[in-house]
Amino acid sequence: MTYKFDGFHGRALYELNGLPEEVRNGPLLDRLLELLENPWDAVPERPGQSLVRHAFFGADDLGMLTFIVNEQTETLRFIDILWAG
């Protein structure tokens, strides 16, 4: 099943604007597309819950996405982006 992209929200929207274009259109986009196919290929934010998850991207995992999985609507909402590169 493919999940739908529910957009960048909150801090992720702000942080997206600060990313270099080659990161936005390269490793970030690639990882986002992978997560839409398999959102469980990410770690839970806290033990015992599974809907808020972290996924790493980029060479040497220099980036991290935080997103919310909504199983009812089959969507992913991205709420935070961290780029250390």
Side-chain angles (χ1 to χ4, degrees):
M1 159 187 6
T2 300
Y3 282 69
K4 295 181 276 293
F5 177 68
D6 187 25
F8 294 103
H9 297 264
R11 287 181 49 155
L13 187 58
Y14 173 77
E15 292 161 349
L16 183 66
N17 292 322
L19 287 177
E21 184 178 344
E22 63 272 10
V23 173
R24 279 193 321 265
N25 297 331
L28 174 66
L29 179 60
D30 294 341
R31 187 63 170 131
L32 190 147
L33 293 172
E34 290 170 3
L35 291 168
L36 291 172
E37 292 293 326
N38 185 12
W40 310 116
D41 183 27
V43 295
E45 184 178 51
R46 289 191 274 291
Q49 65 83 30
S50 63
L51 301 182
V52 179
R53 304 185 75 78
H54 296 295
F56 298 94
F57 68 94
D60 299 321
D61 290 337
L62 290 175
M64 184 177 78
L65 289 166
T66 303
F67 62 98
I68 300 170
V69 179
N70 186 325
E71 291 182 303
Q72 292 177 339
T73 61
E74 298 175 351
T75 58
L76 300 184
R77 176 177 286 208
F78 293 85
I79 58 172
D80 198 9
I81 303 170
L82 175 65
W83 179 249

